[in-house]
Amino acid sequence: MNVQIADRVQRSFSRSFRSYHGSASQQAKIADRLVQEMRVGGAPHRFATGLEFGCGTGHLTHRVCSAFDIGQLTVNDLSPEAAETATAVGADFLCGDAKTVEWPPQPNLVISASMIQWLFDPEAFLQKAANALAPGGWLAVSGFGPEQYRELMKVGSTAKAPGLCRSEDLAAAVEGRLEIISCGEILSALRFDTPRGILNHLRRTGVNGRAQKAWTKTTLAQFSEHYVRHFGDDDGVTLTYNPTWIVARKQG
């Protein structure tokens, strides 16, 4: 991501750091899914070195550390607050943009949950990860697909992440470099009482970092009316999540 957008996204996630963990239920589920797919796919119990991008509050970090023995783990995030996640699991912390920070050489495991959608070229990131992996190393990465927040897009939101990719795009990025163990995507809808509840959810999870709209009483009322008219029913309104993932292995 470019410097201006990276700064805006970083500030948004830093502001929401204390509320993110308890509010990001979908991100927690995809972290569970990545670990499950690694186990089912035959990942070894021990990795000598591991590298996680976008660790945030540690949804994936803690699950991976519980499921696998990682000798030396390095975790990365844009937000300095995520150093707390590293400390909690005894990992090294690498602060900065995943695209520009210096990666530790030849990790045996590269993981990331719910981060690559913020990159303008997630395929290039996956290719770099594939090339960086040590022989026999594993990759487990999730992002979000084009149906992510489809309701918001239809009512004119500018908060869309730049790197939304379908599962087949993730697979194509590492084709010929890695053996694909698992690749897929799902749709999941969260339900809220009102559109205002959706905006509060986005604020608590920090995913509105690219939004440039300054809300007024009038624009908020217009947004709510439009949202309810198109996506509301007797039970409230929905917000769609479209998590995608890939688990792959490098030949030894």
Side-chain angles (χ1 to χ4, degrees), residues 1 3-16 77-81 95-96 206 209:
M1 65 186 84
V3 174
Q4 183 180 20
I5 290 177
D7 287 346
R8 194 158 65 235
V9 170
Q10 181 268 309
R11 289 194 301 271
S12 181
F13 279 109
S14 289
R15 284 194 301 268
S16 67
D77 202 88
L78 268 177
S79 300
E81 292 81 359
C95 189

Side-chain angles (χ1 to χ4, degrees), residues 169-229:
D169 300 324
L170 304 180
V174 300
E175 186 177 6
R177 292 176 170 88
L178 303 178
E179 174 193 358
I180 296 172
I181 304 299
S182 172
C183 186
E185 63 181 279
I186 59 173
L187 290 176
S188 178
L190 292 187
R191 187 165 289 278
F192 298 85
D193 292 336
T194 66
R196 185 66 177 265
I198 290 175
L199 295 180
N200 288 336
H201 170 72
L202 297 177
R203 177 179 52 80
R204 290 192 299 269
T205 55
V207 298
N208 56 347
R210 296 191 75 227
Q212 301 179 42
K213 176 180 289 188
W215 291 102
T216 66
K217 186 175 181 180
T218 299
T219 58
L220 181 58
Q222 291 172 341
F223 167 82
S224 297
E225 187 276 330
H226 195 181
Y227 206 106
V228 170
R229 176 160 27 102

Side-chain angles (χ1 to χ4, degrees), residues 34 38 47-54 60 64 68 70 72-76 98 103-113 115-116 125-134 136-142 174 178 246-250:
L34 282 176
M38 288 180 66
F47 293 93
T49 59
L51 175 59
E52 179 184 2
F53 290 98
L60 181 58
V64 164
F68 303 99
I70 303 177
Q72 181 180 0
L73 176 63
T74 300
V75 299
N76 152 266
W103 297 20
Q106 288 201 310
N108 300 106
L109 173 66
V110 173
I111 57 174
S112 179
M115 184 281 289
I116 62 168
F125 170 83
L126 290 174
Q127 290 164 3
K128 181 177 179 179
N131 292 336
L133 276 171
W138 282 66
L139 174 79
V141 173
S142 75
V174 300
L178 303 178
I246 184 170
V247 175
R249 176 175 56 204
K250 194 168 188 174

Side-chain angles (χ1 to χ4, degrees), residues 9-54:
V9 170
Q10 181 268 309
R11 289 194 301 271
S12 181
F13 279 109
S14 289
R15 284 194 301 268
S16 67
F17 191 80
R18 300 301 167 199
S19 59
Y20 180 91
H21 203 80
S23 300
S25 60
Q26 296 300 300
Q27 289 86 343
K29 287 181 179 179
I30 192 58
D32 283 333
R33 184 63 180 258
L34 282 176
V35 171
Q36 176 188 352
E37 296 294 337
M38 288 180 66
R39 282 172 158 169
V40 172
H45 176 68
R46 189 177 196 281
F47 293 93
T49 59
L51 175 59
E52 179 184 2
F53 290 98

